[in-house]
Amino acid sequence: MSAHLAASERALALRQRYGAHFQPLYRGRMRSLLFAFVALAVFLYGLHSLDMSYARVAGGLGELGAMVARMLPPHPGSWSLAGVYLYAMLETLAIALLGTLMAAIVAFPLGFLAARNTTLNRVVQFFARRSFDTLRGVDILIWALVWINVVGLGPFAGVLALFMSDLGSFGKLFSEAIEAADDKPVEGVLSTGGSGLTAVRFGILPQLLPVLLSQVLYAFESNTRSASIVGIVGAGGIGLILSEQIRTLELQQMAFVILLIWATVSLIDYFCSRVRFAIIGVRAL
């Protein structure tokens, strides 16, 4: 009897100490349930207001299958056209590489101005962050249309569009990586009489470089696909060819170009992964 009483007292003490964990599941979760209900209601309203029709989707599956059948087998049309496609793909790679590299070079020093622990003052940090938000908030296709009107059609407009879009993304990512750096190496450099720049050079940069290089490599992979898209609006690369083939219903050639883009992106992903693992010190499989 005494053992049972002691167990009851211990249970009561635990319930009093951790009362929130012994409450029924519905208590304290009403806010979450209400949020889930509102989100579901908004989702259903969106489906209704946008005239989403499952019947039309089901009816279009047959047409989709017929279109895929007309795309097979993928064929470039002729060897001369295959050479044109390969050159356009190389142009797309050049657009992605130059746009990514330019954005990374410019965003690297600006990231220190936007980081809380390395900025000059709060005003500079505020305007740097808001500038990155502005650049990042404009879609890459909008930037492509803007630069086409400024510098004309061609790959140069594509490079500038990628540069503007990636500058905002890199600025945010770089500044957040700088803020997440460990302060102890910086304190060690400062305690030995080092200057602020010396503390950044030997206390922060060794921590940042693997992270920043990994982010730049991933952006290059992504921009290889993005550079194919900006070509559709006239910013150079293989996207313009793909757009023309879709418009003229040259489906076998379109399938060949899509496969060429897929193979190129896969190769870029493979080599960037090996470089990324080499940077962070893990052997790539």
Side-chain angles (χ1 to χ4, degrees), residues 57 64 71 96 113 126 139 147 149 238 248 259 272:
V57 173
L64 177 62
M71 292 171 62
L113 297 179
F126 175 82
D139 188 76
W147 285 110
N149 285 278
I238 203 168
T248 58
L259 285 178
C272 286

Side-chain angles (χ1 to χ4, degrees), residues 53-127:
S53 173
Y54 295 105
R56 285 194 295 173
V57 173
L61 291 178
E63 180 60 29
L64 177 62
M67 182 178 178
V68 172
R70 292 194 297 269
M71 292 171 62
L72 300 176
H75 195 275
S78 65
W79 287 109
S80 60
L81 285 177
V84 172
Y85 300 155
L86 289 174
Y87 178 80
M89 193 69 242
L90 291 176
E91 187 175 80
T92 300
L93 281 176
I95 293 172
L97 179 62
L98 290 176
T100 306
L101 188 60
M102 287 170 53
I105 292 174
V106 175
F108 180 71
L110 296 180
F112 287 93
L113 297 179
R116 186 179 296 105
N117 53 339
T118 58
T119 189
L120 298 177
N121 54 63
R122 295 299 184 189
V123 176
V124 173
Q125 182 203 10
F126 175 82
F127 281 106

Side-chain angles (χ1 to χ4, degrees), residues 26 91 140 153 167 170 208 259 262 285:
Y26 63 86
E91 187 175 80
I140 187 173
L153 297 171
L167 181 59
F170 280 152
L208 293 182
L259 285 178
W262 172 80
L285 299 178

